Amino acid sequence: MSKPTPQRSALIAGGGIAGVAAGLALARAGWSVSVHERAASFEEVGAGLQISPNAARVLDWLGVLDALAPTAFRPERAELRDGLSGAPVYAAPLGVAAEQRWGAPYLHIHRADLLAVLLAAARTAGVTLRTSDAVARYVNTPEAVHVTMADGRLEYADLCLGADGLRSSVRTALNGSEQPAFTQQTAWRALVPRAALPEGLVAPNATVWAGPGRHVVTYYLRGGALVNLVAVEERPDWTEEDWSLEGDPERLRAAFTGWHPAVTGLLAAVERAHVWGLFLRPEQVRWAEGRVALVGDAAHAMLPFMAQGAAMALEDVTELIRALQGAPDIPSALLAYERARWPRVARVQARSRANAKLFHKRTALGRLSAWTPIRLVSRFAPGLAAGQLDWLYGQDPTAGLAPLRQGT
């Protein structure tokens, strides 16, 4: 009789979507997992997430997609509109059409709802969840990674993942000190009850309202009970150390004076808003070394203009599991994971940067020249327009992976 294989262990820094999803996947793949969150509780800052079909496939593989159904919202279309006139620039059907074309739904989900579902599944799978517990540094050895926590405690694991976001301590230990660079853009976010708005003011779509130096994104959450608003403006004067602050709704409304009534009407109903600076770190850095690797924003923070931050973090999880199942040892697996993920993530990052320029054309002539080709393709060749996202939405990150066991 052969000896049973010793259970491998993973320590994950960061209890957001990336960290908890990775912990859930590893636990269901047979690992002993602990997730360590530096904050006093597991909670997501922010509100809405757009879960495109590539990400929905991962949630289905993790066994949590059905649990999100009661609170998810399925938009009818994705659209780009002129924020001043309201004129349509681009439109692509979602809803049933998204499932038919890309094989999975396109959903709007509240961040807190997604994290709650992931946490419940992780607990059921046996993941140890710890709060007020941050990673300070680590030491790689051939046998294990030695992780020193912020309180001085020493932990040992076969694998350490940094899922601790833009200001990741694991990334710093891996790559050295780097200061996030302000992109000269800030983003406001707010939630408005649908009942507080005139009927029909906000369409049941994922809508980008674009204009000079700024844009607004609107979509529904929680079955249509809430409208999620994200408003981005170019602003060179961000000096706050905190990444997110309580904002003045009047300042937000003033930034979009003269815009289409659908935008100004929604902004008029905003009672509370937060504003944060958009920061990025160098993209070409190491994601893996020995038994340590980065996932999610710790590896590849990106501008939110493709709505793919959470999706790319979820895709990381599938590639990590694939690499761990296929490589002879953990260090080799983590290097394979980095090599496999880098080209796709870099492409999404590049498209996100390009969208910032596309959305923020400052002159009427600039908008006309940039948007007219898009408008013509969208109107006369809608299939071709939707096909521009096949490379992103149509990819199945779970292809070739065995189903994960459910429960403990």
Side-chain angles (χ1 to χ4, degrees):
M1 178 181 293
S2 62
K3 290 184 178 181
T5 303
Q7 188 177 33
R8 295 184 291 182
S9 60
L11 185 153
I12 300 175
I17 290 168
V20 179
L24 172 60
L26 286 165
R28 287 191 171 158
W31 290 60
S32 172
V33 182
S34 59
V35 175
H36 303 253
E37 167 57 41
R38 67 165 63 99
S41 62
F42 289 95
E43 59 183 20
E44 270 293 338
V45 178
L49 285 175
Q50 298 192 53
I51 299 296
S52 50
N54 50 309
R57 289 179 184 273
V58 180
L59 295 175
D60 190 36
W61 174 74
L62 288 169
V64 299
L65 186 61
D66 289 345
L68 290 163
T71 58
F73 184 84
R74 300 193 178 210
E76 295 178 4
R77 296 193 302 170
E79 58 180 10
L80 172 64
R81 289 182 174 272
D82 186 313
L84 302 177
S85 69
V89 177
Y90 166 88
L94 296 177
V96 174
E99 293 194 57
Q100 291 175 339
R101 185 175 189 103
W102 296 303
Y106 195 110
L107 304 173
H108 294 158
I109 295 174
H110 198 294
R111 284 178 178 269
D113 296 340
L114 175 56
L115 184 60
V117 166
L118 288 170
L119 285 167
R123 291 189 183 97
T124 299
V127 176
T128 299
L129 300 169
R130 296 176 178 170
T131 56
S132 301
D133 201 25
V135 169
R137 58 188 179 274
Y138 66 83
V139 175
N140 261 310
T141 75
E143 296 78 24
V145 57
H146 302 185
V147 182
T148 302
M149 309 306 291
D151 63 3
R153 190 177 77 256
L154 188 61
E155 300 271 0
Y156 302 89
D158 295 304
L159 167 67
C160 175
L161 293 180
D164 44 346
L166 177 69
R167 303 180 188 275
S168 165
S169 61
V170 179
R171 177 182 172 120
T172 298
L174 183 59
N175 289 283
S177 179
E178 329 160 297
Q179 289 302 315
F182 179 49
T183 63
Q184 297 197 332
Q185 299 193 71
T186 57
W188 300 77
R189 65 171 182 270
L191 291 172
V192 177
R194 185 177 185 176
L197 299 171
E199 186 65 30
L201 180 70
V202 178
N205 302 321
T207 304
V208 176
W209 302 84
R214 62 205 66 202
H215 74 274
V216 173
V217 180
T218 59
Y219 55 88
Y220 284 110
L221 294 174
R222 290 188 171 158
L226 295 174
V227 175
N228 186 74
L229 160 74
V230 179
V232 176
E233 59 173 327
E234 296 175 1
R235 176 177 164 184
D237 60 344
W238 185 267
T239 58
E240 303 292 344
E241 291 185 3
D242 290 337
W243 75 276
S244 177
L245 299 170
E246 187 88 14
D248 180 0
E250 289 301 327
R251 168 72 177 81
L252 169 60
R253 284 186 271 272
F256 293 89
T257 299
W259 278 47
H260 189 268
V263 175
T264 57
L266 176 59
L267 295 179
V270 172
E271 296 183 354
R272 184 180 182 189
H274 283 79
V275 60
W276 74 104
L278 298 182
F279 287 79
L280 291 178
R281 280 186 155 186
E283 294 176 0
Q284 295 183 346
V285 298
R286 289 181 299 173
W287 293 8
E289 175 188 59
R291 294 172 173 271
V292 178
L294 305 175
V295 295
D297 282 352
H300 48 67
M302 59 187 67
L303 291 171
F305 307 148
M306 284 287 287
Q308 285 292 300
M312 291 298 103
L314 291 168
E315 286 193 10
D316 287 348
V317 174
T318 61
E319 197 57 51
L320 178 69
I321 295 296
R322 180 179 288 107
L324 289 168
Q325 290 175 346
D329 55 69
I330 291 173
S332 297
L334 298 184
L335 290 176
Y337 152 75
E338 179 180 355
R339 287 193 300 268
R341 286 297 292 148
W342 170 249
R344 181 164 167 85
V345 167
R347 186 176 182 184
V348 175
Q349 288 173 320
R351 287 289 296 270
S352 297
R353 292 192 301 269
N355 275 355
K357 296 178 180 179
L358 175 68
F359 296 164
H360 292 181
K361 295 294 183 182
R362 288 190 169 273
T363 66
L365 180 60
R367 293 191 292 277
L368 181 66
S369 62
W371 294 354
T372 296
I374 300 172
R375 184 179 281 115
L376 291 174
V377 171
S378 178
R379 180 177 179 182
F380 296 107
L384 179 61
Q388 297 300 305
L389 290 169
D390 285 351
W391 68 273
L392 182 58
Y393 297 168
Q395 180 162 313
D396 181 2
T398 70
L401 286 173
L404 293 172
R405 64 179 184 175
Q406 303 296 305
T408 56

